[in-house]
Amino acid sequence: GNIDLGEFPLLLAPMEDVSDPPFRALCKENGADVVYTEFISSEGLIRNAAKSTMKLDIYEQERPVGIQIFGANLDSMLQSVDIVEQTNPDIVDINFGCPVKKVVCKGAGAGILKDIDKMEMLTMEMVKRTQLPVTVKTRLGCDEKNIKIVEVAERIQDAGAKAITIHGRTRAQMYKGLADWTLISDVKNNPRMKIPVFGNGDVNSPEKAVEMRDVYGLDGAMIGRASIGNPWFFNQVKHYFKTGDKMPSPTINDRIEMAKRHLEMSIKWKGEKLGVLETRRHYSNYFKGIGPQNVYNRMSQSLKTKNIDKITPADHLHNDFLDITVKFGITSLILLFLVYFLIIKTKNKEHKILLNILMIMLLSSQLTQSQFAHHQAITFFITLFYLLREKSNSLSCLLYTSDAA
């Protein structure tokens, strides 16, 4: 039946090793209108491969949810639709856009863009096979010399697809360069097109989502990489739509709590071993942009001890450590620890005074957020290093000065 998604819906893209049930649930809670599973091999499904069948797990709180499948063999695709129907998703999505070599080489994903007749045939036969709405996700074309997306979209629509999502790059581009939304807009503005046209690629800020809606006139946006480690992104976009103002960025505590929930949900779904191992890859994304990887390393270390409940702002990630980590860049932290180490080791009073001055300069440059002071401190450090090296002939003389020095 029809699915009412409202005006300009935000869709969570199907992403391998990312859009599993725990992550989909977090995105749904934070404003995603539709979520999609990781893409599933039709060949894997009909052979009952564990990795493929596990991806069929969907839950009521996710709805509306789409299951995406890929393949090039008609028989396998039709059998896989039968299997998918048994899990009762809201949408069946066909992947005609994956640019990965091992998929393309089998004539699936973006590999099928070389054969538009086959794309149309597969879509038509799958529409006939199921009562569920069938949608398609694809790319602009194989390469810039073979872009026929307007024709492709028309034929996909004529085959019975209820919506089409277009990634604004060619297969040859992979994920490099800028997504071309102009060509997606050409599809939307084609008078023959009646089904929704969703855009995908480079929707990485609320402003970009507004541009896709207001400038290019598309019907919705499919969000991929911008949501990784940032399930808040959907609500951030919706808040910007309503107010024109940006939501405050998630605090460190917000990030920690979200990462902790993600871990707990993954363990519940996958079991302790897989849940821990596969969630660790997400942690750097949750803390991206707030400081060095010390936060990630601390979180990862806590997973090894299996003390999940200790991952809290107050206990496991000590607030003082977090404050320092966030305020100081990685370069400054290394310098601070090095200078502190030298102060402890050296017994020469002149050296100790110079090192203490350097420590004060480094601290003041960071606390005042002064780039000029920071550069002064770095210059002073380099000068000091060479002066001491010249005087002592080696750094080891400074570190291990004898009592007679």
Side-chain angles (χ1 to χ4, degrees), residues 293-335:
Q293 290 294 306
N294 299 57
V295 177
Y296 166 74
N297 293 336
R298 283 297 187 92
M299 297 286 278
S300 295
Q301 184 62 37
S302 70
L303 301 188
K304 294 177 184 177
T305 67
K306 301 176 186 175
N307 293 325
I308 298 165
D309 289 336
K310 293 185 178 180
I311 309 174
T312 65
D315 301 325
H316 190 68
L317 293 175
H318 195 279
N319 285 334
D320 291 343
F321 176 81
L322 272 176
D323 288 343
I324 293 172
T325 302
V326 173
K327 183 164 287 291
F328 299 106
I330 187 67
T331 305
S332 297
L333 274 178
I334 291 171
L335 283 174

Side-chain angles (χ1 to χ4, degrees), residues 112 114-123 151 155:
I112 207 168
K114 295 177 181 178
D115 190 346
I116 300 174
D117 290 341
K118 190 172 184 179
M119 285 181 74
E120 183 180 20
M121 180 272 293
L122 282 175
T123 305
E151 178 192 348
R155 293 176 68 173

Side-chain angles (χ1 to χ4, degrees), residues 58-74:
I58 58 175
Y59 299 91
E60 284 302 311
Q61 64 267 29
E62 300 180 65
R63 295 188 184 280
V65 57
I67 291 180
Q68 188 186 74
I69 55 178
F70 72 94
N73 180 277
L74 176 60

Side-chain angles (χ1 to χ4, degrees), residues 200-315:
N200 176 233
D202 294 350
V203 188
N204 49 28
S205 70
E207 293 91 340
K208 283 286 190 179
V210 168
E211 184 181 355
M212 181 172 273
R213 182 190 66 177
D214 297 346
V215 177
Y216 293 89
L218 303 186
D219 295 304
M222 182 174 276
I223 313 297
R225 288 175 289 173
S227 67
I228 300 175
N230 185 22
W232 304 275
F233 185 76
F234 302 93
N235 275 338
Q236 290 169 351
V237 171
K238 289 183 174 181
H239 180 82
Y240 192 78
F241 281 171
K242 289 180 181 177
T243 67
D245 297 320
K246 284 192 171 184
M247 281 179 68
S249 296
T251 65
I252 298 168
N253 287 3
D254 292 335
R255 295 170 187 264
I256 293 170
E257 288 305 315
M258 187 68 79
K260 177 183 172 182
R261 283 194 63 208
H262 194 162
L263 171 63
E264 291 172 336
M265 292 164 73
S266 293
I267 288 175
K268 186 176 179 180
W269 182 55
K270 300 177 183 177
E272 186 176 85
K273 184 176 180 180
L274 270 180
V276 169
L277 290 175
E278 294 188 9
T279 305
R280 285 169 63 180
R281 71 164 69 97
H282 290 273
Y283 272 50
S284 59
N285 292 308
Y286 275 112
F287 300 102
K288 186 177 180 180
I290 65 165
Q293 290 294 306
N294 299 57
V295 177
Y296 166 74
N297 293 336
R298 283 297 187 92
M299 297 286 278
S300 295
Q301 184 62 37
S302 70
L303 301 188
K304 294 177 184 177
T305 67
K306 301 176 186 175
N307 293 325
I308 298 165
D309 289 336
K310 293 185 178 180
I311 309 174
T312 65
D315 301 325

